């Protein structure tokens, strides 16, 4: 009846996605330098913002000018001719010199067979496909470089290339439908379907572990991570998938195939349905196979208890951070890496960060992978302060992270504006904006909270030790040299 009744809705049951666990939990659960008539050059504007970012009274001034207090609309630096995203990514903070990457700091290596031979005529080999270029670009420090030219090709592949197979992701502990979609060039992506409309808020009576995984949250999280300068979330794009021709007709997963049904109405509470056949979904690029790049899973020290009656240890002990500072959190960057992730989650409203992963090859000296962000952006009207507990208890933050956050609070680089610009490039933007105006506004509000938390940490440190420098993990000495060079002596 599917081919003859195109007007009917085609649905996919979620019985294949461990719904018994989901249902059980649901039952149990809760003045720039310028002449009067001349627009400043982008370079002058950058120097102005560099000086502003090191102002000791920055946080209080920024809070006074926050949204809701008659702020003026901000644009990119005057006279730059750039979009807001381009202006942000051209700022010196995003283009500081980085040391060369050593051979052992690449995740994957290309093995060349045989010795090089001289040839009178050489043919240029075809470039590797975008997914392989992405995998080969993963290093000890990030998943992809700033302004990576491969990102556009990768997004185009995820959103348009022919899907040759669709299979249920075999992952323990999952409660919702995830499919692995394969492409002709052996690339694979994880599909998460639409489960909640963009303007809906998560029901306040719904226990957060039973919350929906939102397709737009996965896409917005990738853009959010990139805007922050982290680059620790795999690329994710939106796509309209044909439930029949791109899933049902090509899947070899018999258990998945048996769950399809055609219905003129939504009959099943947990069904995933096309409209009538087109299904909005996110496709996130898969990381290299574990056989090539093993990943290690770490339990988050600030994991939620997932219980209505029990509190986690960190919720009862204000000095809990002192107990955490054991390997691997007692040296290197692991603690500030985790606080980076905390800030990302707070901005997105993601309470479901119970574990994180790293590439085993790099040991403890590497970045954290920010995977599984589907439960973010559920509520815009309220914030969840408990997510920021690691920052409040440890009072430690990277200098680069703090400077990026301060930059994103300035009118010409405002976080909500930059995110709106970035998300407008996603294919699903033609259907509807990926984040509602209220969710974008919530980002600005939460950014103020993060900066105020850092300011309180510094004040607390000053009251105890006479200075607040212990809060900052210094990792931008080149930036400090630049600021000293452009800031007039007092």
């Amino acid at each position: 009846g599917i081919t003859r009744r195109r007007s009917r809705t085609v649905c996919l049951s979620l019985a294949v996605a461990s719904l018994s666990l989901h249902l059980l939990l649901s039952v149990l659960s809760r003045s720039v330098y310028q002449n009067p008539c001349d627009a400043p050059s982008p370079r002058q504007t950058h120097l102005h913002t560099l000086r502003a970012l090191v102002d000791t009274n920055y946080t209080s001034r920024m809070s006074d000018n926050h949204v809701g207090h008659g702020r003026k609309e901000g644009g990119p630096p005057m006279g730059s001719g750039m979009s807001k995203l381009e202006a942000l990514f051209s700022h010196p903070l995003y283009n500081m010199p980085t040391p060369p990457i050593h051979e052992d700091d690449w995740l994957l290596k290309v093995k060349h067979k045989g010795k090089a031979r001289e040839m009178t005529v050489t043919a240029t080999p075809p470039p590797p496909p975008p997914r392989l270029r992405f995998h080969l670009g993963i290093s000890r420090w990030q998943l992809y470089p700033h302004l990576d030219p491969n990102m556009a090709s990768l997004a185009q592949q995820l959103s348009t290339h022919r899907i040759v197979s669709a299979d249920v992701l075999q992952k323990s502990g999952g409660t919702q439908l995830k499919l692995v979609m394969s492409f002709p060039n052996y690339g694979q992506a994880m599909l998460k379907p639409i489960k909640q409309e963009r303007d809906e808020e998560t029901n306040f009576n719904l226990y957060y572990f039973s919350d929906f995984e939102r397709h737009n949250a996965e896409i917005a999280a990738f853009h959010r991570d990139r805007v922050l300068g982290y680059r620790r979330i795999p690329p994710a794009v939106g796509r309209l998938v044909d439930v029949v021709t791109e899933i049902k007709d090509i899947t070899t997963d018999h258990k998945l195939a048996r769950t399809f049904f055609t219905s003129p109405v939504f009959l099943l509470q947990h069904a995933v349905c096309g409209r009538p056949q087109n299904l909005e979904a996110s496709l996130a690029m898969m990381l290299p196979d574990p056989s090539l790049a093993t990943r290690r899973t770490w339990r988050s020290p600030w994991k939620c208890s997932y219980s209505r009656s029990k509190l986690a240890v960190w919720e009862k002990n204000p000095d809990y951070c002192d107990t955490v500072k054991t390997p691997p959190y007692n040296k290197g960057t692991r603690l500030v890496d985790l606080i980076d992730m905390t800030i990302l989650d707070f901005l997105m409203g993601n309470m479901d960060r119970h574990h994180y992963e790293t590439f085993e090859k790099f040991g403890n000296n590497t970045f954290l992978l920010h995977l599984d962000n589907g439960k973010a952006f559920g509520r815009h009207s309220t914030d969840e302060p408990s997510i920021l507990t690691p920052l409040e208890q440890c009072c430690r933050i990277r200098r680069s992270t703090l400077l990026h956050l301060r930059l994103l609070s300035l009118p010409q680089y405002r976080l909500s504006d930059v995110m709106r610009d970035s998300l407008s490039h996603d294919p699903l933007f033609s259907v509807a904006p990926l984040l509602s105006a209220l969710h974008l506004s919530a980002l600005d509000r939460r950014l103020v909270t993060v900066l105020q938390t850092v300011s309180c940490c510094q004040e607390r440190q000053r009251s105890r030790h006479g200075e607040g420098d212990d809060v900052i993990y210094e990792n931008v000495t080149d930036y400090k040299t630049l600021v000293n060079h452009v800031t007039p002596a007092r």
Side-chain angles (χ1 to χ4, degrees), residues 220-279:
F222 161 65
H223 288 259
R224 178 82 283 276
D225 175 85
R226 185 167 173 243
V227 164
L228 277 177
Y230 292 165
R231 298 184 289 278
R232 301 166 197 170
I233 293 179
V237 303
R239 177 166 177 161
L240 287 176
V241 177
D242 191 301
V243 176
V244 176
T245 63
E246 294 183 309
I247 301 181
K248 178 179 181 293
D249 291 350
I250 63 174
T251 185
T252 58
D253 189 319
H254 299 296
K255 189 175 181 181
L256 173 66
R258 288 196 300 269
T259 69
F260 282 87
F261 66 96
T262 304
S263 173
V265 294
F266 298 105
L267 296 177
L268 293 184
Q269 181 182 0
H270 296 287
V272 170
C273 299
R275 300 179 181 177
Q277 289 183 199
N278 287 331
L279 177 69

Side-chain angles (χ1 to χ4, degrees), residues 449-489:
T449 301
V450 175
L451 291 174
Q452 288 176 336
T453 301
V454 175
S455 181
C456 289
C457 281
Q458 291 176 311
E459 288 298 325
R460 196 180 349 169
Q461 289 285 352
R462 290 190 190 100
S463 66
R464 294 176 181 176
H465 309 293
E467 56 185 28
D469 292 341
D470 291 344
V471 174
I472 307 299
Y473 177 86
E474 192 60 73
N475 69 320
V476 281
T477 53
D478 291 338
Y479 169 79
K480 291 179 70 176
T481 301
L482 177 60
V483 171
N484 290 334
H485 176 70
V486 301
T487 304

Side-chain angles (χ1 to χ4, degrees), residues 32 44 70 104 119 135 145 200 275 282 317 321 347 349 402 478:
V32 252
Q44 288 174 320
D104 291 339
M119 299 178 65
H135 288 170
E200 286 185 80
R275 300 179 181 177
S282 65
N317 181 9
C321 186
L347 292 173
L402 178 58
D478 291 338

Side-chain angles (χ1 to χ4, degrees), residues 107 293-297 357-364 366:
L107 181 65
T294 307
R295 300 198 299 271
R296 179 173 176 179
T297 301
E357 296 181 26
T358 59
F359 288 110
E360 196 170 86
K361 173 184 176 179
F362 300 133
N364 294 335
T366 187

